[in-house]
Amino acid sequence: MAPSAGGRDERETVRDLLGGHGRTYADEAGIRLKDTPQPLYELLVLAHLLSARIRAATAVAAARALFDAGMRDARRMRDATWQQRVDALGRGGYRRYDERTSTQLGDAARLVLDRYGGDLRRLRKAAGGEPERLRDLLCEVPGIGPAGADIFLREVQGVWPEVAPYLDRKALEGARRLGLPGDPRKLPRLVRKEELPSLAAALVRAALDRHVVEDVEEAHARHAAQA
C-alpha cells in the first residue's frame, strides 16, 4: 500500500482498518477483559495458543473450547487431566500441538498458582509498572515465549494503563504494510487511548493477512471516488 499523505489520510486509514478488523482477539475468544483474575488468566491461555504457528482462528476456537470445558482459571486448568485438556484442544481444532500444549498449560497453571496465587494482578505488581519487566515475567510462564508475552501485553494494555501504548514488531509490520507510521510513538496519536488494543490487533491482522490490507485499500478508493 502506498504511504499515506499525512494526518488526514492516516486517520482515515486507521478508521477503515478498525471498522473492518478492529476486534480484539480476547473479544473473539469470548473474554470480557477486565482487571480481575479470571479474564486475565483466560487472556494468558489465549496468548499461549495464539503464539504457536497455527491460524489465529484455530487458536481462538481452542481457547473457547477450553473455557467451555470449565478451564477458565488456573486452578481448574491445573486440576483437569492431561487428556481433558487434549480433548478440549482437539474440539477447537488445535491438533498439531495438542499434546505438548496440554502439558504446558498444566505446568503454566501450576506456576501461576504457586507464584501468584492464581492472580496475574500479582505479576503486574511484581513488575512494578515496568512493561519490560512484565514481559520478562510472562516469559517465565511455561509455553509463553516472547511472542506470547507480546500478544498478552498488546491486549491487556486496555486494562493495565502502564503498558500502553504497546505496539510490538508484528503490529508495526502491519502499520508499514498499510502505509502508516512505523514509529510506536506516532501511531498511538491516531486513535483514542481506549482503542489501542483494537488498533494493535488490527495491525497484526494486516501483517498476517494481505486481504486486510486489500480491504483497507478498497475502502480508501471508495472515499477518494466520493470526494
Side-chain angles (χ1 to χ4, degrees), residues 146-200:
D150 283 338
I151 293 165
F152 183 92
L153 293 171
R154 286 197 311 255
E155 299 266 326
V156 85
Q157 65 183 311
V159 295
W160 288 359
E162 71 275 16
V163 175
Y166 197 89
L167 298 167
D168 65 334
R169 284 184 295 178
K170 185 61 70 175
L172 297 178
E173 178 186 337
R176 287 188 288 270
R177 290 190 178 191
L178 290 160
L180 293 169
D183 186 335
R185 296 167 298 179
K186 293 181 180 179
L187 272 172
R189 300 173 190 168
L190 301 175
V191 295
R192 298 186 301 272
K193 189 170 184 179
E194 61 268 24
E195 293 179 306
L196 280 168
S198 297
L199 175 63

Side-chain angles (χ1 to χ4, degrees), residues 106-184:
D107 292 343
R110 279 186 283 275
L111 182 143
V112 170
L113 286 165
D114 293 346
R115 190 175 296 181
Y116 304 113
D119 187 348
L120 291 172
R121 293 176 299 183
R122 297 182 182 179
L123 180 149
R124 178 188 185 186
K125 184 176 181 180
E130 294 292 333
E132 282 303 316
R133 180 60 178 152
L134 271 173
R135 193 172 187 270
D136 290 342
L137 291 176
L138 286 165
C139 286
E140 293 177 4
V141 178
I144 301 291
D150 283 338
I151 293 165
F152 183 92
L153 293 171
R154 286 197 311 255
E155 299 266 326
V156 85
Q157 65 183 311
V159 295
W160 288 359
E162 71 275 16
V163 175
Y166 197 89
L167 298 167
D168 65 334
R169 284 184 295 178
K170 185 61 70 175
L172 297 178
E173 178 186 337
R176 287 188 288 270
R177 290 190 178 191
L178 290 160
L180 293 169
D183 186 335

